[in-house]
Amino acid sequence: MKRLLIAMFVLLGLLQYRLWWGQNSLPESFQLQEQIKLQRESNAKLIERNQVLKEEILDLRRGTEALEERARNELGMVKQGETFFRVMGEPQRKAEIGEQ
């Protein structure tokens, strides 16, 4: 009976070792689950970004409004007969409340 009890404890010890420190252990499993979660979040962001880029490409192919908007914003182009105004803001000053 003692041998059976000792064998059971040894077997239990081996199983516990494998559960906590062996290959495919519990901590390793939790770490992999966290990596999967982070990768899925990253993939979702990339899918969303790709969708925005696809829509922009389709918009650029279909009409001239998107091309015109890009030319105005990125290249500073102006239509003939239009007047271009650049509004310059004042430099921001430190909070006047604390200085007085």
Side-chain angles (χ1 to χ4, degrees):
M1 190 67 176
K2 283 186 176 182
R3 288 184 185 184
L4 181 62
L5 192 58
I6 291 172
M8 295 276 263
F9 277 121
V10 168
L11 184 61
L12 180 65
L14 290 174
L15 290 174
Q16 285 294 317
Y17 174 80
R18 185 163 182 192
L19 176 68
W20 294 105
W21 297 286
Q23 187 177 9
N24 298 327
S25 64
L26 205 54
E28 185 179 330
S29 175
F30 290 141
Q31 184 181 19
L32 287 175
Q33 287 177 357
E34 184 65 27
Q35 287 178 356
I36 289 170
K37 178 185 167 194
L38 293 173
Q39 188 64 49
R40 284 186 176 152
E41 290 172 1
S42 175
N43 288 351
K45 288 178 185 177
L46 291 173
I47 288 170
E48 185 178 325
R49 186 179 128 229
N50 285 345
Q51 187 62 33
V52 168
L53 290 173
K54 285 178 185 178
E55 290 172 6
E56 188 174 338
I57 289 170
L58 289 174
D59 195 26
L60 287 171
R61 285 183 181 166
R62 287 188 193 144
T64 59
E65 290 177 13
L67 289 173
E68 184 179 329
E69 181 183 345
R70 275 203 159 203
R72 288 175 181 272
N73 291 335
E74 294 177 10
L75 302 175
M77 299 181 99
V78 186
K79 281 185 179 178
Q80 196 170 15
E82 284 185 334
T83 306
F84 176 73
F85 294 97
R86 178 176 284 177
V87 179
M88 302 291 287
E90 292 182 30
Q92 292 183 353
R93 292 183 267 167
K94 293 182 182 177
E96 294 177 17
I97 298 171
E99 292 177 4
Q100 294 178 2

